[in-house]
Amino acid sequence: MKWNHIIEPNGSEMWLPDLASLIADRLARPAKLVSTKHSAAKLGDSILRQLYEVRDSTGGLRLSQSGTCIRQLAYQYHHTEENGLGIDAASKIAFIIGDTTEAILVSTLMEAFEESGVGTLFGALNEQEEVTLKVPIKPGHTANISGHPDGSMVVMTQSSVPIHAILEVKSMSDYGFGKFRKEGLGPDDSYYSQVQSYMESKGYKWAYVVAYGKASGAKDAEMLDDGSWLPQSALHGQWIRHDNEAVGAIKSKFKRVVQSIEPEEIERPYGPDKKGRLSFPCDYCKYYKRCFPFAEEHVQESRWLKKSHKIKVSVGEDR
């Protein structure tokens, strides 16, 4: 089993299991199911819900939006009519891929935990629990912001000390996955804020984010500094510690939204570049035409190229 070396803020060290590797190893090694928690019906429903679930704009705020643009949250909170990027078939397929990824990785982790004894998983798939973050608004008024983590865990350190942690599963684009592998998640990333809210709600000090790179292939390789290479896994994970400063910023954001009279009183945190072009997250926002009334869609050739390494097979020129 692989372990991740963690250095605490006080300088102490600990080793936590590399759950992404644990999941990948179990996926690559088919065997008889051990866990009794599996349910094909529940697994299927967690995916098929995208075909019947209608997400109405209720104005309610959710913990999954902890890293969302504050002005977008204000538009939602004040029941503003959507006027931007809507949910179409492509969006639904992306949601289904995300749900499928979550279902298979969570189920695989259940099996890996049963076999290794390194942890237990609960509150996942159709048994997801609702957690609540209490945000003080003013004396006598507290906003309760709810959310549903992908799961909760009790995981053993290498020295057999149990820790409680949030589990969050993501499917990422090629760019997002590459950035995650190289830099990890930090305070400027929306997923980081999301798991911070979950940890605060549960009173946990740790969270683990495991991601699947949607563009990953069997021939992807990772080059090492010494010139050697390794097959690049389609999964990558990161242990994230509870961050009081990040939680404070999240609560302040929700408080500002709840106290607002109208969305436009909140300054835009993002804007166009020197050529007037909007980029992420603005161009993916369902309110961008309201936020930028003169915004228009246009088509532009994409020339983004990414250098990659692929595993090839050769037998030599003289054979």
Side-chain angles (χ1 to χ4, degrees), residues 70-196:
I70 186 172
R71 190 154 174 174
Q72 179 181 335
L73 291 179
Y75 280 125
Q76 175 183 311
Y77 183 73
H78 290 288
H79 300 272
T80 306
E81 183 179 356
E82 295 180 10
N83 190 7
L85 183 68
I87 296 177
D88 57 8
S91 302
K92 279 292 185 179
I93 291 173
F95 294 154
I96 291 171
I97 291 173
D99 287 344
T100 304
T101 300
E102 176 188 343
I104 192 62
L105 296 189
V106 166
S107 298
T108 306
L109 184 58
M110 286 180 180
E111 283 296 301
F113 275 166
E114 288 284 348
E115 294 175 357
S116 66
V118 76
T120 56
L121 176 65
F122 55 94
L125 298 178
N126 279 47
E127 296 179 355
Q128 280 183 315
E129 62 179 329
E130 182 175 86
V131 299
T132 301
L133 180 69
K134 296 185 180 298
V135 180
I137 305 300
K138 60 183 180 180
H141 181 199
T142 299
N144 295 317
I145 315 296
S146 299
H148 299 84
D150 289 339
S152 296
M153 306 179 289
V154 177
V155 178
M156 305 299 290
T157 68
Q158 194 174 45
S159 55
S160 299
V161 177
I163 66 165
H164 288 79
I166 293 293
L167 172 69
E168 198 64 23
V169 180
K170 301 296 180 185
S171 57
M172 295 182 177
S173 67
D174 192 28
Y175 172 80
F177 187 63
K179 183 175 181 292
F180 180 47
R181 286 180 54 87
K182 185 178 180 179
E183 304 174 11
L185 297 178
D188 293 333
D189 296 298
S190 61
Y191 294 153
Y192 183 91
S193 297
Q194 183 180 357
V195 297
Q196 291 297 335

Side-chain angles (χ1 to χ4, degrees), residues 135-303:
V135 180
I137 305 300
K138 60 183 180 180
H141 181 199
T142 299
N144 295 317
I145 315 296
S146 299
H148 299 84
D150 289 339
S152 296
M153 306 179 289
V154 177
V155 178
M156 305 299 290
T157 68
Q158 194 174 45
S159 55
S160 299
V161 177
I163 66 165
H164 288 79
I166 293 293
L167 172 69
E168 198 64 23
V169 180
K170 301 296 180 185
S171 57
M172 295 182 177
S173 67
D174 192 28
Y175 172 80
F177 187 63
K179 183 175 181 292
F180 180 47
R181 286 180 54 87
K182 185 178 180 179
E183 304 174 11
L185 297 178
D188 293 333
D189 296 298
S190 61
Y191 294 153
Y192 183 91
S193 297
Q194 183 180 357
V195 297
Q196 291 297 335
S197 293
Y198 292 153
M199 281 188 276
E200 178 72 9
S201 301
K202 291 281 291 182
Y204 290 176
K205 291 185 177 181
W206 291 98
Y208 189 83
V209 177
V210 57
Y212 163 64
K214 290 185 287 187
S216 299
K219 290 290 188 176
D220 288 342
E222 176 184 4
M223 296 300 299
L224 304 180
D225 293 338
D226 61 2
S228 60
W229 60 270
L230 294 171
Q232 180 172 292
S233 175
L235 301 178
H236 185 71
Q238 177 185 355
W239 284 101
I240 298 175
R241 202 181 193 285
H242 182 273
D243 183 339
N244 284 322
E245 185 175 343
V247 171
I250 292 165
K251 289 183 176 181
S252 295
K253 177 194 289 188
F254 283 133
K255 179 180 178 179
R256 179 71 180 91
V257 170
V258 173
Q259 289 181 326
S260 64
I261 304 300
E262 60 180 10
E264 280 75 15
E265 74 181 56
I266 296 177
E267 185 177 351
R268 301 186 188 105
Y270 307 101
D273 62 15
K274 293 181 180 179
K275 295 184 178 181
R277 297 172 300 190
L278 294 174
S279 58
F280 184 83
C282 294
D283 56 349
Y284 277 79
C285 178
K286 53 189 176 183
Y287 302 105
Y288 77 77
K289 292 181 182 178
R290 176 65 183 267
C291 193
F292 297 92
F294 298 104
E296 295 181 352
E297 292 182 327
H298 64 279
V299 175
Q300 168 180 314
E301 180 183 3
S302 175
R303 297 184 179 181

Side-chain angles (χ1 to χ4, degrees), residues 218-221 229 231 309-317 319:
K219 290 290 188 176
D220 288 342
W229 60 270
H309 297 92
K310 298 291 183 180
I311 300 172
K312 301 294 184 180
V313 179
S314 63
V315 295
E317 295 181 359
R319 298 185 183 183

